[in-house]
Amino acid sequence: MPALQIGAIYRHREFYSDPATGELLPKFFLVLAHTPGDDIVARLLTSQAHGRRESPPCFHGDPYPGYYLGVLGGPLGSKSWLDLRFLGDLDDAAAAGQVRRGVLAEALRLPAAALRPVLECVAGANDTTRLQARSIRDQLASMN
């Protein structure tokens, strides 16, 4: 069984370092699918609007392609967008180790009805690779 669950939003407590202080800072990401090689297809979340659209929720244009998720609640109390720009696949074994060490923790899950349009949007995004799109579409087919 894969370490990270599809439809779950995880908090990575040490995702990037602050350029000014070097302090490791957290980031949230959504798990979209698993590849045939058990890598994890995911996209980052952001609360920074920077001109991102809310309507329609799925936007593939410039300057920031994204999917508007709204206010999800819990630790995500601000408006959130899924960033549709490229993110390399995550290694499942490495993620499992990060879960065991407490670096990665599940924050919340999207219900299937909310996840479907997100998957459709990401599968059609310009920066989604063919393998990622195929894996996402396979996930969509398994949900029907």
Side-chain angles (χ1 to χ4, degrees), residues 4-5 7 17 32-33 37 40 43 45-46 59 69 74 90-92 97 102 117 124-125 127 131-133:
L4 304 184
Q5 301 303 305
S17 61
L32 303 165
I40 299 162
R43 289 295 182 272
L45 272 72
T46 184
F59 178 70
L69 296 166
L90 309 175
D91 180 82
D92 188 64
D127 285 352
L131 176 60
Q132 290 175 340

Side-chain angles (χ1 to χ4, degrees), residues 20-53:
T21 66
E23 176 187 8
L24 292 174
L25 299 173
K27 194 73 174 165
F28 290 90
F29 64 89
L30 172 63
V31 175
L32 303 165
H34 296 106
T35 67
D38 287 330
D39 284 334
I40 299 162
V41 180
R43 289 295 182 272
L44 298 175
L45 272 72
T46 184
S47 61
Q48 303 302 311
H50 296 299
R52 287 180 173 88
R53 296 184 181 190

Side-chain angles (χ1 to χ4, degrees), residues 5-9 29-33 41-43 45 67 69 72 82 108-123 136 139-140 142-143:
Q5 301 303 305
I6 294 166
I9 295 173
F29 64 89
L30 172 63
V31 175
L32 303 165
V41 180
R43 289 295 182 272
L45 272 72
Y67 188 95
L69 296 166
L72 297 168
L82 193 67
L108 55 96
R109 280 187 199 224
L110 291 182
L115 182 61
R116 279 187 190 93
V118 173
L119 294 174
E120 291 168 358
C121 182
V122 178
I136 291 169
Q139 176 58 37
L140 272 165
S142 75
M143 294 170 70

